[in-house]
C-alpha cells in the first residue's frame, strides 16, 4: 500500500440536514494518494450524498474538507466556497455518475474536450489529442464523432469516465457507476475502473458490487442511516463483520 | 361568386398581409430577446429586480392584447404622448409576446435535466460556461417549437391591430367591404388568407418538433 | 367612471363562462370525432379543428356578426359573441381532451373490456374521470385565455368592459385611466386563476399520477 503520511483527501465530521431530516451524521473519511475506498450500505444510507459533498455538489451543513492543499470549513459562521475555489476543487476531483449525464447535444469528442478548453484553457488541438488518448484507453476511439444518443449505456459510461479523466484529476469519485447497466456491461466498466486503480488513481467508489470492493478496494466503509458503522479492509469486513447492521446488510447482499 | 372576384379580393388584402408580417416580425425580434432577459432576471436577479420582471411579464400576459393596444393608442394621449398606430401596435405586441415567451423560456430552462447541471458543475465549468454550453443549447431545443407556435398565434393576433387603424389584413378587408358593400365574401377572403398562412406554418412547426425530438 | 366600466364585467363573465361551458360539451363531440373509427369522421373532425384554429377569433366574430347578417341571419352582438366563442372553444377544448385521451393509454380500455363493461360505462366511469384529472389544468389555462379573448366582443358592440372604456375615452379623453381600470380588472381575474391552475396541476400530479 502507499505511504501513510497525511491522507491526500480527508472529510471530517460531515453532517448534512435536509430540513428536519439528518441525512449524514458526523461522517469522517480519509484516503491516501493511490488508494481505493469502497463505500457500501443499504439504499438511503447517505452514500451518494456523502460522495457529492466531497466535490461540493451538495453543500454539507457542517464539516471540514481537505483535499491536497485545498481546505474548507463549512457551516454557520464560515464563508461559502468561492467560485474559484469550487473550480479548483472540481478540477482535481472528477466524478462519474450513475446516469452518465453526457451532454446530449455534443459529440463524444466534444463532451471530452469542452471542460479541457473552458476550465484548463487547453487549445482545441491539445484537447482533442488528450480526448483521443482517453478514448483509446476506454476502447472507444471510433465513437469520437458520435452523439451520446447513438451509444449504448456501457459506451456512454466509458465516455463519461474519459470525460472526467480529461482534466487529469487527482481523485475520482464514482457514484454507483454500474447500477444503471446490465451485469455484463457493468463488468466491463468495473474492469476499466480496476485498470485505473492499478495505475495509481485515488478513487472513492459507492457501489453495490461487492466483488469490486473485495478485489480492488484498500478499505471498505459501511454506511447505514447516515453514519459509518464499520470500516476496514475488504476481506475482514466481508468475512468477519463486527457491527450487527453490517452483518445484516452483507447477509442480504451476499446471501443471494 | 366568381373566382376572379375572389382573387381580386385576396389581391387587395395582400398589402395588409405584408404589414401584418412586419408587425409580427418586429414584435418577435424585440419580444423574444426581451423574454430571455426577463427569464434570466426572474431566475437569477436580486429580489426587487426579479419582482419587477415578474410584474412586467404578468401584465403582458394577463391583460388582453386588445386592451394593451387601446392603452397605448388611446390611453397615452391622456398624458400627451401620441404614438402612431403602428408604434402603439409594436409596443403592445412586443409586451404581449415577451409575456408569453418568458414562460416558454423559463419552462424550457427548467426542463433541462438536473443531471446535466451536475455533470457540468462536476467537471469544473463556471456558472456562465455551464449556462452557455450545457443549459442554453438544450433549453433552446425544447423552447423552439412552442416559440414558433407563439409566433403563429401572434401573426393571427395582428388582426386586432385593426381596431387602432393599423393597415393590416382586417383593415384592408373593412375598406374593401365598404367599397363593395359585400362584407361577407371579403371577410371570407380574409379568413382564407389567414388560414393559407397559418396551416402550412403549423405543419412546419410540427415537423420541426418531430425532428428536434429525434436528436436529443 | 370606475363603476361604469366595471359593470361591463358581467358580460365578460357571462360570455366567458357560457362559451366555456358550451364549448366543453361540444368539445366532447369534437374529441369523439377525432378519435372515431371511421376515417371520414376523423378527417372531418381534423378539418373542423384546423380551420377554426387557423383563423383569428376577430375574423370569426366579424363573419358571424356582419357576414351572417348579409345572408339573412341577424344576430345580436351578444348572440354572435356567444356563438363564435363557443365554437372556437369547442375546437380547442376538443383538442385538449384528445391529448388527455392519448395520455391515458390502451391498458385502461383493455382492462375494462376484459371486465365486460359496456362502452358507455367505460366512457363515463373509467375514461372520463381520469382524462378530466389530466386535462383540468390545461382547461383552466384555456379558460383564462378565453376570458381575455372575450374582450374582442367589444368590437362588435357587446357592452362589456373594453367597450365601455372606449366610450369613456371618447367622451372624456381619459383613455389611460379608463383602460388601466380594464387592464387591472383582467389582471385581478387572471392572476389568481393562474395560481389556481398551477395549484390544480400540482394536486393532480401528487394524487393521481400512477406511472
Amino acid at each position: 500500500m502507499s505511504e501513510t503520511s497525511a491522507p491526500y483527501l480527508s472529510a471530517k465530521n460531515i453532517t448534512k440536514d435536509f430540513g428536519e431530516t439528518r441525512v449524514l451524521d458526523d461522517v469522517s473519511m480519509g484516503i491516501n494518494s493511490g488508494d481505493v475506498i469502497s463505500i457500501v450500505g443499504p439504499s438511503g444510507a447517505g452514500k451518494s450524498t456523502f460522495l457529492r459533498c466531497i466535490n461540493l455538489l451538495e453543500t454539507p451543513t457542517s464539516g471540514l474538507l481537505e483535499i491536497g492543499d485545498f481546505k474548507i470549513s463549512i457551516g454557520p459562521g464560515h464563508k461559502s466556497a468561492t467560485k474559484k475555489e469550487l473550480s479548483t476543487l472540481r478540477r482535481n476531483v472528477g466524478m462519474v455518475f450513475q446516469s452518465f449525464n453526457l451532454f446530449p447535444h455534443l459529440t463524444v469528442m466534444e463532451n471530452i474536450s469542452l471542460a479541457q478548453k473552458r476550465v484548463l484553457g487547453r487549445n482545441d488541438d491539445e484537447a482533442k489529442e488528450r480526448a483521443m488518448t482517453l478514448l483509446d484507453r476506454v476502447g472507444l476511439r471510433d465513437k469520437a464523432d458520435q452523439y451520446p444518443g447513438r451509444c449504448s449505456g456501457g459506451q456512454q459510461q466509458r465516455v463519461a469516465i474519459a470525460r472526467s479523466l480529461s482534466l487529469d484529476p487527482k481523485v475520482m469519485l464514482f457514484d454507483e457507476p454500474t447500477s444503471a447497466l446490465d451485469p455484463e456491461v457493468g463488468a466491463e466498466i468495473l474492469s476499466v475502473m480496476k485498470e485505473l486503480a492499478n495505475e495509481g488513481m485515488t478513487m472513492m467508489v459507492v457501489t453495490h458490487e461487492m466483488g469490486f470492493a473485495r478485489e480492488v478496494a484498500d478499505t471498505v466503509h459501511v454506511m447505514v442511516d447516515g453514519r459509518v458503522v464499520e470500516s476496514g479492509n475488504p476481506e475482514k469486513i466481508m468475512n468477519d463483520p463486527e457491527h450487527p447492521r453490517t452483518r445484516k446488510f452483507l447477509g442480504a447482499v451476499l446471501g443471494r | 361568386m366568381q373566382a376572379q372576384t375572389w382573387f381580386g379580393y385576396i389581391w387587395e388584402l395582400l398589402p395588409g398581409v405584408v404589414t401584418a408580417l412586419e408587425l409580427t416580425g418586429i414584435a418577435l425580434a424585440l419580444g423574444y430577446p426581451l423574454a430571455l432577459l426577463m427569464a434570466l432576471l426572474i431566475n437569477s436577479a436580486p429580489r426587487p429586480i426579479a419582482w419587477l420582471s415578474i410584474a412586467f411579464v404578468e401584465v403582458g400576459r394577463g391583460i388582453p392584447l386588445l386592451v394593451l393596444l387601446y392603452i397605448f393608442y388611446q390611453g397615452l394621449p391622456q398624458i400627451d404622448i401620441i404614438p402612431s398606430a403602428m408604434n402603439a401596435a409594436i409596443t403592445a405586441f412586443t409586451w404581449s409576446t415577451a409575456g408569453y415567451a418568458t414562460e416558454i423560456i423559463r419552462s424550457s430552462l427548467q426542463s433541462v435535466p438536473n443531471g446535466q447541471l451536475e455533470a457540468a458543475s462536476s467537471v469544473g465549468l463556471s456558472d456562465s460556461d455551464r449556462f452557455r454550453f450545457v443549459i442554453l443549447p438544450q433549453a433552446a431545443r425544447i423552447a423552439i417549437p412552442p416559440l414558433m407556435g407563439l409566433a403563429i398565434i401572434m401573426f393571427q393576433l395582428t388582426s386586432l391591430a385593426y381596431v387602432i387603424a393599423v393597415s393590416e389584413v382586417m383593415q384592408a378587408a373593412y375598406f374593401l367591404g365598404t367599397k363593395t358593400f359585400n362584407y361577407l365574401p371579403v371577410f371570407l377572403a380574409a379568413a382564407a388568407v389567414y388560414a393559407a398562412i397559418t396551416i402550412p406554418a403549423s405543419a412546419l412547426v410540427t415537423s420541426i418538433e418531430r425532428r428536434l425530438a429525434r436528436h436529443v | 367612471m370606475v363603476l361604469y366600466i366595471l359593470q361591463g364585467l358581467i358580460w365578460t363573465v357571462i360570455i366567458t363562462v357560457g362559451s366555456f361551458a358550451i364549448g366543453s360539451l361540444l368539445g366532447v363531440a369534437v374529441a369523439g370525432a377525432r378519435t372515431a373509427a371511421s376515417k371520414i369522421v376523423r378527417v372531418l373532425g381534423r378539418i373542423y379543428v384546423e380551420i377554426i384554429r387557423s383563423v383569428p377569433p376577430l375574423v370569426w366574430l366579424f363573419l358571424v356578426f356582419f357576414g351572417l347578417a348579409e345572408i339573412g341571419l341577424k344576430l345580436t352582438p351578444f348572440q354572435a359573441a356567444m356563438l363564435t366563442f363557443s365554437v372556437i372553444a369547442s375546437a380547442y377544448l376538443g383538442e385538449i381532451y384528445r391529448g388527455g385521451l392519448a395520455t391515458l393509454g390502451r391498458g385502461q380500455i383493455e382492462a375494462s373490456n376484459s371486465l365486460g363493461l359496456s362502452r358507455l360505462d367505460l366512457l363515463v366511469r373509467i375514461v372520463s374521470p381520469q382524462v378530466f384529472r389530466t386535462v383540468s389544468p390545461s382547461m383552466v389555462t384555456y379558460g383564462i385565455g378565453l376570458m381575455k379573448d372575450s374582450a374582442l366582443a367589444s368590437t362588435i358592440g357587446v357592452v362589456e368592459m373594453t367597450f365601455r372604456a372606449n366610450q369613456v375615452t371618447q367622451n372624456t379623453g381619459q383613455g389611460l385611466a379608463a383602460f388601466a381600470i380594464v387592464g387591472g380588472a383582467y389582471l385581478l381575474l387572471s392572476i389568481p386563476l393562474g395560481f389556481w391552475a398551477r395549484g390544480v396541476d400540482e394536486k393532480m400530479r401528487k394524487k393521481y399520477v400512477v406511472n
Side-chain angles (χ1 to χ4, degrees), chain C residues 4-209:
Chain C
Y4 178 67
I5 293 179
L6 288 183
Q7 280 169 357
L9 189 54
I10 304 179
W11 290 111
T12 305
V13 172
I14 296 180
I15 294 179
T16 307
V17 173
S19 314
F20 189 83
I22 300 176
S24 56
L25 288 174
L26 285 178
V28 176
V30 173
R34 289 277 257 145
T35 55
S38 149
K39 180 146 196 207
I40 302 180
V41 176
R42 283 205 307 272
V43 170
L44 284 176
R46 175 96 194 261
I47 294 180
Y48 176 82
V49 170
E50 283 298 313
I51 293 192
I52 290 184
R53 296 199 307 182
S54 304
V55 176
L58 186 69
V59 182
W60 285 127
L61 263 179
F62 281 13
L63 274 172
V64 169
F65 187 61
F66 297 113
L68 290 184
E70 270 176 37
I71 55 174
L73 184 60
K74 284 205 173 81
L75 296 169
T76 70
F78 175 71
Q79 289 167 339
M82 284 296 287
L83 175 58
T84 310
F85 287 121
S86 300
V87 170
I88 294 180
S90 75
Y92 283 96
L93 288 171
E95 282 302 287
I96 290 179
Y97 295 159
R98 193 172 70 93
L101 277 171
T103 313
L104 194 60
R106 301 218 45 137
Q108 295 288 317
I109 303 179
E110 287 173 354
S112 311
N113 279 337
S114 69
L115 285 171
L117 289 175
S118 74
R119 292 211 75 198
L120 188 61
D121 257 347
L122 171 68
L123 185 66
V124 173
R125 288 178 190 279
I126 311 277
V127 173
S128 303
Q130 291 187 60
V131 172
F132 182 71
R133 284 180 199 129
T134 315
V135 303
S136 305
S138 306
M139 284 178 74
V140 174
T141 308
Y142 179 72
I144 300 175
L146 188 59
M147 180 183 70
K148 288 185 270 172
D149 279 348
S150 70
L152 293 176
S154 64
T155 61
I156 58 171
V158 175
V159 192
E160 44 77 86
M161 289 195 287
T162 314
F163 186 92
R164 289 167 186 250
N166 256 320
Q167 276 183 325
V168 167
T169 310
Q170 267 152 28
N171 292 340
T172 70
Q174 296 188 326
L176 198 53
F179 285 108
I181 296 173
V182 178
Y186 276 107
L187 281 178
L188 284 175
L189 285 171
S190 66
I191 294 183
L193 280 175
F195 280 128
W196 186 50
R198 233 169 288 171
V200 168
D201 192 36
E202 283 172 20
K203 235 198 294 172
M204 292 306 165
R205 277 179 211 274
K206 275 189 210 151
K207 265 180 143 192
Y208 296 112
V209 175

Side-chain angles (χ1 to χ4, degrees), chain A residues 12-151:
Chain A
K12 292 196 183 122
N13 311 112
I14 303 289
T15 300
K16 173 86 186 160
D17 295 319
F18 277 122
E20 296 283 311
T21 326
R22 177 147 290 193
V23 175
L24 291 174
D25 193 0
D26 201 30
V27 178
S28 297
M29 240 181 251
I31 180 170
N32 293 321
S33 203
D35 279 359
V36 176
I37 284 187
S38 195
I39 304 177
V40 302
S43 298
K47 318 188 289 293
S48 288
T49 313
F50 175 69
L51 207 66
R52 290 142 64 104
C53 284
I54 307 267
N55 68 347
L56 291 180
L57 275 186
E58 300 272 4
T59 316
T61 311
S62 67
L64 176 64
L65 207 55
E66 289 178 55
I67 303 175
D69 293 326
F70 176 81
K71 186 168 170 171
I72 183 169
S73 286
I74 304 148
H78 295 281
K79 280 188 297 175
S80 37
T82 65
K83 302 230 161 100
K84 200 151 184 275
E85 288 177 320
L86 282 177
S87 184
T88 316
L89 170 62
R90 287 162 182 169
R91 230 177 284 184
N92 290 316
V93 180
M95 187 162 213
V96 175
F97 298 87
Q98 180 177 345
S99 46
F100 334 134
N101 290 338
L102 292 181
F103 305 131
H105 57 292
L106 299 176
T107 64
V108 162
M109 169 65 77
E110 287 165 346
N111 260 274
I112 304 179
S113 322
L114 179 64
Q116 292 184 65
K117 295 197 279 190
R118 301 301 302 183
V119 178
L120 295 181
R122 290 184 186 152
N123 67 44
D124 200 48
D125 293 316
E126 283 181 294
K128 283 206 175 125
E129 215 187 297
R130 181 86 180 110
M132 266 319 203
T133 314
L134 289 168
L135 280 175
D136 267 332
R137 221 166 129 188
V138 297
L140 286 176
R141 172 169 260 260
D142 52 337
K143 287 280 187 180
D145 292 318
Q146 289 275 21
Y147 284 94
R150 297 293 202 89
C151 300

